[in-house]
Amino acid sequence: MKNSDRMPFKDSYKNLDRTFVALSVYNTGRQKCTPMYQWGPGIRDHYLIHYIISGQGWYETRDARYHLKAGDVFLAFPHTPMTYYAHQDDPWEYCWVGFNGSDALSIVLAAGFTKKSPVIFQFSRGDLLEDRISQIYQCHGSDQAHSLEMTGKLYSALALLVENAPDTAHGAQDTYVQKAMEYINGHFAYPVSVEEIACYTGISRSQLYRAFQQQLHMSPKEYLTRFRIRQACRLLKNTDLPVSTIAGSAGFDNSLYFSRVFKKAMGQSPSQYRKA
């Protein structure tokens, strides 16, 4: 039976154990869509890669609309409006994996994805990418051991994209934004200033601001705050430490300020988040 003749189906798994701060699988699956099946307009709180196995459809972002077909790969960035939908006569079948963590952004940039260029057309090793994403789904489970195994398979799938990225994409490892993210990853628990981050990268504060806005559509300060909030979320979920201790561990020197920033970012207080 040809792929185009298969009946619509959806196999998916949502992982609720997002223990690993560097990289965690959020969801994964495979779907043969019905004609004009659509997701969005909407946003995700994580990165989401789709590999198109057969058929065709469209992917729309804030900046562009892409007509995609079998062999193409598209990436959704977190907190970025998007819509994607299947063709009327030749609806696509795809597999996907959603993920996030402190390593996620540097990896997707190294793979050649940017918000202005979120698509890889006719990926040369698509069959292997499909297999590696399928392996993530096959080892899913509800305990930490399965989460760890899924993360290992995710690294393998992402490594395939990085290995086959254009030479220009590998240069992203050496950009100012990359260096800034590396510094934040190692120093977020300390009273880091944007001036210190800019000094480490070797450029001025205003140049660093422009680089972050161009690549991530956010300021260095906003990225640092979001990074710290993610660390705080992990500690709230996985430890019994007092909120004041968690605030300090995540780089906030004032627990009241931390609570205010956390509630603005997450929609609830740290204590409410822990209970939930």
Short mmCIF file of all heavy atoms in Angstrom, two decimals, residues 6-15 25-34 37 44 48-51 53 84 92-98 130 133-140 150:
data_model
loop_
_atom_site.label_atom_id
_atom_site.label_comp_id
_atom_site.label_asym_id
_atom_site.label_seq_id
_atom_site.Cartn_x
_atom_site.Cartn_y
_atom_site.Cartn_z
N ARG A 6 -2.80 5.30 2.72
CA ARG A 6 -3.02 4.88 4.10
C ARG A 6 -4.15 5.68 4.73
O ARG A 6 -4.35 6.86 4.44
CB ARG A 6 -1.75 5.05 4.92
CG ARG A 6 -0.59 4.19 4.43
CD ARG A 6 0.66 4.47 5.22
NE ARG A 6 0.53 4.02 6.61
CZ ARG A 6 1.49 4.17 7.51
NH1 ARG A 6 2.62 4.75 7.18
NH2 ARG A 6 1.32 3.76 8.74
N MET A 7 -4.90 5.02 5.59
CA MET A 7 -5.96 5.71 6.31
C MET A 7 -5.34 6.67 7.32
O MET A 7 -4.26 6.41 7.87
CB MET A 7 -6.84 4.69 7.04
CG MET A 7 -7.62 3.78 6.11
SD MET A 7 -8.85 4.71 5.15
CE MET A 7 -10.00 5.17 6.46
N PRO A 8 -5.99 7.80 7.60
CA PRO A 8 -5.45 8.74 8.60
C PRO A 8 -5.29 8.07 9.96
O PRO A 8 -6.11 7.25 10.37
CB PRO A 8 -6.51 9.84 8.64
CG PRO A 8 -7.18 9.78 7.31
CD PRO A 8 -7.19 8.32 6.94
N PHE A 9 -4.22 8.42 10.66
CA PHE A 9 -3.99 7.90 12.00
C PHE A 9 -3.09 8.86 12.75
O PHE A 9 -2.48 9.76 12.15
CB PHE A 9 -3.32 6.51 11.96
CG PHE A 9 -1.87 6.55 11.52
CD1 PHE A 9 -0.85 6.69 12.44
CD2 PHE A 9 -1.54 6.46 10.18
CE1 PHE A 9 0.48 6.74 12.04
CE2 PHE A 9 -0.21 6.52 9.76
CZ PHE A 9 0.80 6.65 10.70
N LYS A 10 -3.00 8.67 14.06
CA LYS A 10 -2.09 9.46 14.88
C LYS A 10 -1.61 8.61 16.05
O LYS A 10 -2.41 8.13 16.83
CB LYS A 10 -2.76 10.74 15.39
CG LYS A 10 -1.84 11.62 16.23
CD LYS A 10 -2.54 12.91 16.66
CE LYS A 10 -1.60 13.82 17.46
NZ LYS A 10 -2.27 15.07 17.87
N ASP A 11 -0.28 8.44 16.14
CA ASP A 11 0.34 7.80 17.30
C ASP A 11 1.19 8.87 17.98
O ASP A 11 2.08 9.45 17.34
CB ASP A 11 1.24 6.63 16.87
CG ASP A 11 0.45 5.49 16.27
OD1 ASP A 11 -0.66 5.23 16.74
OD2 ASP A 11 0.94 4.87 15.31
N SER A 12 0.93 9.17 19.23
CA SER A 12 1.68 10.23 19.90
C SER A 12 1.87 9.90 21.37
O SER A 12 1.13 9.10 21.95
CB SER A 12 0.96 11.57 19.77
OG SER A 12 -0.27 11.55 20.46
N TYR A 13 2.89 10.52 21.95
CA TYR A 13 3.17 10.35 23.37
C TYR A 13 3.62 11.69 23.93
O TYR A 13 4.47 12.38 23.35
CB TYR A 13 4.27 9.31 23.59
CG TYR A 13 4.70 9.21 25.04
CD1 TYR A 13 3.88 8.61 26.00
CD2 TYR A 13 5.91 9.76 25.48
CE1 TYR A 13 4.25 8.54 27.33
CE2 TYR A 13 6.29 9.69 26.81
CZ TYR A 13 5.46 9.09 27.73
OH TYR A 13 5.84 9.03 29.04
N LYS A 14 3.03 12.09 25.06
CA LYS A 14 3.41 13.31 25.75
C LYS A 14 4.14 12.94 27.03
O LYS A 14 3.62 12.22 27.87
CB LYS A 14 2.18 14.16 26.07
CG LYS A 14 2.50 15.49 26.74
CD LYS A 14 1.25 16.30 27.01
CE LYS A 14 0.67 16.83 25.73
NZ LYS A 14 -0.47 17.76 25.98
N ASN A 15 5.36 13.43 27.16
CA ASN A 15 6.18 13.10 28.32
C ASN A 15 6.00 14.16 29.40
O ASN A 15 6.26 15.34 29.18
CB ASN A 15 7.66 13.02 27.91
CG ASN A 15 8.56 12.63 29.05
OD1 ASN A 15 8.14 11.93 29.97
ND2 ASN A 15 9.82 13.06 29.00
N VAL A 25 12.73 15.51 26.18
CA VAL A 25 11.68 15.28 25.21
C VAL A 25 10.35 15.69 25.83
O VAL A 25 10.01 15.25 26.92
CB VAL A 25 11.63 13.80 24.78
CG1 VAL A 25 10.44 13.55 23.87
CG2 VAL A 25 12.93 13.40 24.08
N TYR A 26 9.59 16.50 25.12
CA TYR A 26 8.27 16.91 25.60
C TYR A 26 7.17 16.05 24.99
O TYR A 26 6.20 15.71 25.66
CB TYR A 26 8.02 18.39 25.25
CG TYR A 26 8.62 19.38 26.22
CD1 TYR A 26 9.89 19.16 26.77
CD2 TYR A 26 7.95 20.52 26.60
CE1 TYR A 26 10.45 20.07 27.66
CE2 TYR A 26 8.49 21.44 27.49
CZ TYR A 26 9.75 21.21 28.01
OH TYR A 26 10.29 22.10 28.90
N ASN A 27 7.30 15.73 23.73
CA ASN A 27 6.31 14.88 23.06
C ASN A 27 6.92 14.32 21.78
O ASN A 27 7.91 14.86 21.27
CB ASN A 27 5.02 15.66 22.76
CG ASN A 27 5.28 16.95 22.03
OD1 ASN A 27 5.67 16.96 20.87
ND2 ASN A 27 5.07 18.08 22.71
N THR A 28 6.32 13.27 21.26
CA THR A 28 6.81 12.67 20.03
C THR A 28 5.70 11.82 19.43
O THR A 28 4.77 11.41 20.14
CB THR A 28 8.07 11.81 20.29
OG1 THR A 28 8.58 11.32 19.05
CG2 THR A 28 7.76 10.64 21.21
N GLY A 29 5.76 11.59 18.13
CA GLY A 29 4.73 10.78 17.51
C GLY A 29 4.80 10.79 16.00
O GLY A 29 5.78 11.27 15.40
N ARG A 30 3.76 10.26 15.41
CA ARG A 30 3.65 10.13 13.95
C ARG A 30 2.18 10.26 13.59
O ARG A 30 1.31 9.75 14.30
CB ARG A 30 4.22 8.79 13.52
CG ARG A 30 4.20 8.52 12.02
CD ARG A 30 4.88 7.20 11.74
NE ARG A 30 4.93 6.88 10.33
CZ ARG A 30 6.00 6.41 9.71
NH1 ARG A 30 7.12 6.18 10.40
NH2 ARG A 30 5.97 6.12 8.42
N GLN A 31 1.90 10.92 12.47
CA GLN A 31 0.51 11.14 12.09
C GLN A 31 0.36 11.16 10.58
O GLN A 31 1.14 11.79 9.86
CB GLN A 31 0.00 12.46 12.67
CG GLN A 31 -1.46 12.74 12.37
CD GLN A 31 -1.98 13.95 13.13
OE1 GLN A 31 -1.25 14.61 13.84
NE2 GLN A 31 -3.26 14.25 12.98
N LYS A 32 -0.66 10.45 10.10
CA LYS A 32 -1.13 10.58 8.73
C LYS A 32 -2.38 11.44 8.79
O LYS A 32 -3.40 11.05 9.39
CB LYS A 32 -1.46 9.20 8.14
CG LYS A 32 -2.20 9.24 6.82
CD LYS A 32 -1.36 9.83 5.70
CE LYS A 32 -2.14 9.74 4.37
NZ LYS A 32 -1.40 10.37 3.27
N CYS A 33 -2.31 12.63 8.22
CA CYS A 33 -3.36 13.63 8.42
C CYS A 33 -4.53 13.45 7.45
O CYS A 33 -4.37 12.91 6.35
CB CYS A 33 -2.78 15.03 8.25
SG CYS A 33 -1.53 15.45 9.48
N THR A 34 -5.67 13.92 7.87
CA THR A 34 -6.83 14.02 6.98
C THR A 34 -6.65 15.25 6.10
O THR A 34 -5.87 16.16 6.43
CB THR A 34 -8.12 14.15 7.81
OG1 THR A 34 -7.97 15.26 8.71
CG2 THR A 34 -8.38 12.89 8.61
N TYR A 37 -6.17 18.96 7.44
CA TYR A 37 -5.99 18.94 8.90
C TYR A 37 -5.07 20.09 9.31
O TYR A 37 -4.02 20.30 8.70
CB TYR A 37 -5.38 17.60 9.33
CG TYR A 37 -4.96 17.58 10.79
CD1 TYR A 37 -5.87 17.28 11.79
CD2 TYR A 37 -3.66 17.89 11.16
CE1 TYR A 37 -5.50 17.27 13.13
CE2 TYR A 37 -3.26 17.89 12.49
CZ TYR A 37 -4.18 17.58 13.47
OH TYR A 37 -3.80 17.59 14.79
N ARG A 44 3.79 27.13 20.93
CA ARG A 44 4.25 26.06 21.80
C ARG A 44 5.21 26.64 22.84
O ARG A 44 5.77 27.73 22.64
CB ARG A 44 4.99 24.99 21.00
CG ARG A 44 4.18 24.39 19.84
CD ARG A 44 3.20 23.36 20.34
NE ARG A 44 2.64 22.58 19.25
CZ ARG A 44 1.78 21.58 19.41
NH1 ARG A 44 1.37 21.26 20.62
NH2 ARG A 44 1.31 20.91 18.37
N LEU A 48 9.84 22.23 18.24
CA LEU A 48 9.08 21.13 17.66
C LEU A 48 9.56 20.89 16.23
O LEU A 48 9.40 21.75 15.37
CB LEU A 48 7.59 21.46 17.68
CG LEU A 48 6.63 20.36 17.26
CD1 LEU A 48 6.69 19.16 18.19
CD2 LEU A 48 5.20 20.90 17.19
N ILE A 49 10.15 19.71 16.00
CA ILE A 49 10.65 19.35 14.68
C ILE A 49 9.69 18.36 14.02
O ILE A 49 9.29 17.38 14.65
CB ILE A 49 12.06 18.73 14.77
CG1 ILE A 49 13.11 19.80 15.04
CG2 ILE A 49 12.42 17.98 13.48
CD1 ILE A 49 14.51 19.27 15.23
N HIS A 50 9.33 18.62 12.78
CA HIS A 50 8.54 17.70 11.96
C HIS A 50 9.37 17.25 10.76
O HIS A 50 9.98 18.10 10.08
CB HIS A 50 7.27 18.37 11.43
CG HIS A 50 6.19 18.54 12.44
ND1 HIS A 50 6.23 19.51 13.41
CD2 HIS A 50 5.02 17.86 12.61
CE1 HIS A 50 5.12 19.43 14.15
NE2 HIS A 50 4.37 18.44 13.69
N TYR A 51 9.37 15.95 10.48
CA TYR A 51 9.93 15.44 9.23
C TYR A 51 8.78 14.89 8.40
O TYR A 51 8.01 14.05 8.87
CB TYR A 51 10.97 14.35 9.47
CG TYR A 51 11.39 13.67 8.18
CD1 TYR A 51 12.17 14.36 7.25
CD2 TYR A 51 10.97 12.38 7.88
CE1 TYR A 51 12.52 13.77 6.05
CE2 TYR A 51 11.33 11.78 6.67
CZ TYR A 51 12.10 12.48 5.76
OH TYR A 51 12.44 11.90 4.57
N ILE A 53 7.12 12.64 5.84
CA ILE A 53 7.38 11.32 5.27
C ILE A 53 6.76 11.19 3.89
O ILE A 53 7.37 10.63 2.97
CB ILE A 53 6.81 10.23 6.21
CG1 ILE A 53 7.48 10.33 7.59
CG2 ILE A 53 6.99 8.84 5.61
CD1 ILE A 53 6.75 9.56 8.68
N TYR A 84 0.15 25.13 10.79
CA TYR A 84 0.52 24.21 9.71
C TYR A 84 -0.69 23.34 9.38
O TYR A 84 -1.48 23.00 10.26
CB TYR A 84 1.76 23.38 10.04
CG TYR A 84 1.77 22.63 11.35
CD1 TYR A 84 1.34 21.30 11.43
CD2 TYR A 84 2.25 23.23 12.51
CE1 TYR A 84 1.38 20.60 12.63
CE2 TYR A 84 2.29 22.54 13.71
CZ TYR A 84 1.86 21.23 13.77
OH TYR A 84 1.90 20.53 14.96
N TRP A 92 -0.31 15.32 4.14
CA TRP A 92 0.98 14.77 4.54
C TRP A 92 0.89 13.80 5.70
O TRP A 92 -0.04 13.79 6.49
CB TRP A 92 1.98 15.88 4.83
CG TRP A 92 1.54 16.95 5.81
CD1 TRP A 92 0.51 16.91 6.71
CD2 TRP A 92 2.13 18.25 5.94
NE1 TRP A 92 0.43 18.09 7.40
CE2 TRP A 92 1.41 18.93 6.97
CE3 TRP A 92 3.20 18.90 5.34
CZ2 TRP A 92 1.72 20.22 7.37
CZ3 TRP A 92 3.52 20.19 5.75
CH2 TRP A 92 2.79 20.85 6.74
N GLU A 93 1.93 12.98 5.76
CA GLU A 93 2.22 12.14 6.92
C GLU A 93 3.57 12.59 7.44
O GLU A 93 4.51 12.78 6.68
CB GLU A 93 2.26 10.66 6.54
CG GLU A 93 2.62 9.74 7.71
CD GLU A 93 2.66 8.26 7.33
OE1 GLU A 93 2.15 7.91 6.25
OE2 GLU A 93 3.22 7.47 8.11
N TYR A 94 3.66 12.79 8.76
CA TYR A 94 4.93 13.23 9.33
C TYR A 94 5.16 12.58 10.68
O TYR A 94 4.25 12.04 11.33
CB TYR A 94 4.97 14.76 9.47
CG TYR A 94 3.75 15.40 10.12
CD1 TYR A 94 3.33 15.07 11.41
CD2 TYR A 94 3.02 16.38 9.45
CE1 TYR A 94 2.24 15.67 12.00
CE2 TYR A 94 1.91 16.99 10.03
CZ TYR A 94 1.53 16.63 11.30
OH TYR A 94 0.44 17.23 11.88
N CYS A 95 6.43 12.61 11.08
CA CYS A 95 6.78 12.25 12.46
C CYS A 95 7.35 13.51 13.11
O CYS A 95 7.82 14.42 12.42
CB CYS A 95 7.79 11.10 12.50
SG CYS A 95 9.31 11.35 11.56
N TRP A 96 7.28 13.57 14.43
CA TRP A 96 7.73 14.79 15.11
C TRP A 96 8.32 14.47 16.47
O TRP A 96 8.09 13.41 17.05
CB TRP A 96 6.57 15.77 15.26
CG TRP A 96 5.62 15.44 16.39
CD1 TRP A 96 5.72 15.78 17.71
CD2 TRP A 96 4.42 14.66 16.28
NE1 TRP A 96 4.66 15.28 18.42
CE2 TRP A 96 3.85 14.58 17.58
CE3 TRP A 96 3.76 14.02 15.23
CZ2 TRP A 96 2.67 13.90 17.83
CZ3 TRP A 96 2.59 13.35 15.49
CH2 TRP A 96 2.05 13.30 16.77
N VAL A 97 9.08 15.45 16.96
CA VAL A 97 9.57 15.39 18.34
C VAL A 97 9.62 16.82 18.88
O VAL A 97 10.10 17.74 18.22
CB VAL A 97 10.95 14.71 18.45
CG1 VAL A 97 12.01 15.43 17.60
CG2 VAL A 97 11.40 14.63 19.91
N GLY A 98 9.05 17.02 20.06
CA GLY A 98 9.10 18.29 20.75
C GLY A 98 10.07 18.21 21.91
O GLY A 98 10.13 17.19 22.60
N GLU A 130 13.88 9.92 10.10
CA GLU A 130 12.60 9.31 10.42
C GLU A 130 12.80 8.14 11.39
O GLU A 130 12.04 7.99 12.37
CB GLU A 130 11.93 8.81 9.14
CG GLU A 130 10.61 8.07 9.38
CD GLU A 130 10.09 7.38 8.13
OE1 GLU A 130 10.63 7.63 7.03
OE2 GLU A 130 9.14 6.58 8.27
N ILE A 133 13.70 9.46 14.98
CA ILE A 133 12.54 10.01 15.67
C ILE A 133 11.61 8.88 16.10
O ILE A 133 11.03 8.91 17.20
CB ILE A 133 11.82 11.04 14.79
CG1 ILE A 133 12.71 12.27 14.57
CG2 ILE A 133 10.50 11.47 15.44
CD1 ILE A 133 12.11 13.32 13.64
N SER A 134 11.47 7.87 15.25
CA SER A 134 10.64 6.72 15.62
C SER A 134 11.19 6.00 16.84
O SER A 134 10.43 5.50 17.68
CB SER A 134 10.55 5.74 14.43
OG SER A 134 9.89 6.34 13.33
N GLN A 135 12.52 5.94 16.96
CA GLN A 135 13.14 5.30 18.12
C GLN A 135 12.81 6.04 19.41
O GLN A 135 12.67 5.42 20.47
CB GLN A 135 14.66 5.23 17.93
CG GLN A 135 15.11 4.24 16.87
CD GLN A 135 16.62 4.25 16.69
OE1 GLN A 135 17.37 4.57 17.61
NE2 GLN A 135 17.07 3.91 15.50
N ILE A 136 12.69 7.36 19.33
CA ILE A 136 12.31 8.14 20.52
C ILE A 136 10.94 7.69 21.00
O ILE A 136 10.72 7.46 22.20
CB ILE A 136 12.30 9.64 20.21
CG1 ILE A 136 13.69 10.12 19.78
CG2 ILE A 136 11.83 10.44 21.43
CD1 ILE A 136 13.70 11.56 19.26
N TYR A 137 10.01 7.56 20.05
CA TYR A 137 8.66 7.13 20.40
C TYR A 137 8.65 5.70 20.96
O TYR A 137 7.96 5.41 21.94
CB TYR A 137 7.75 7.21 19.18
CG TYR A 137 6.34 6.72 19.44
CD1 TYR A 137 5.42 7.53 20.10
CD2 TYR A 137 5.94 5.45 19.06
CE1 TYR A 137 4.13 7.09 20.36
CE2 TYR A 137 4.66 4.99 19.32
CZ TYR A 137 3.76 5.81 19.97
OH TYR A 137 2.50 5.36 20.24
N GLN A 138 9.44 4.82 20.36
CA GLN A 138 9.43 3.41 20.75
C GLN A 138 9.93 3.18 22.17
O GLN A 138 9.53 2.20 22.81
CB GLN A 138 10.28 2.60 19.76
CG GLN A 138 9.65 2.48 18.37
CD GLN A 138 10.64 2.02 17.31
OE1 GLN A 138 11.76 1.62 17.63
NE2 GLN A 138 10.23 2.10 16.05
N CYS A 139 10.76 4.06 22.69
CA CYS A 139 11.28 3.85 24.05
C CYS A 139 10.59 4.76 25.07
O CYS A 139 11.12 5.01 26.15
CB CYS A 139 12.80 4.05 24.09
SG CYS A 139 13.38 5.72 23.71
N HIS A 140 9.39 5.26 24.75
CA HIS A 140 8.71 6.15 25.69
C HIS A 140 8.22 5.36 26.91
O HIS A 140 8.02 4.15 26.85
CB HIS A 140 7.53 6.87 25.02
CG HIS A 140 6.35 5.99 24.70
ND1 HIS A 140 6.10 5.51 23.44
CD2 HIS A 140 5.34 5.52 25.48
CE1 HIS A 140 5.00 4.78 23.45
NE2 HIS A 140 4.51 4.77 24.69
N MET A 150 14.85 8.37 26.08
CA MET A 150 14.31 9.23 25.03
C MET A 150 15.23 10.41 24.75
O MET A 150 15.44 10.79 23.59
CB MET A 150 12.92 9.74 25.43
CG MET A 150 11.81 8.71 25.30
SD MET A 150 10.15 9.45 25.39
CE MET A 150 10.15 10.08 27.07
#
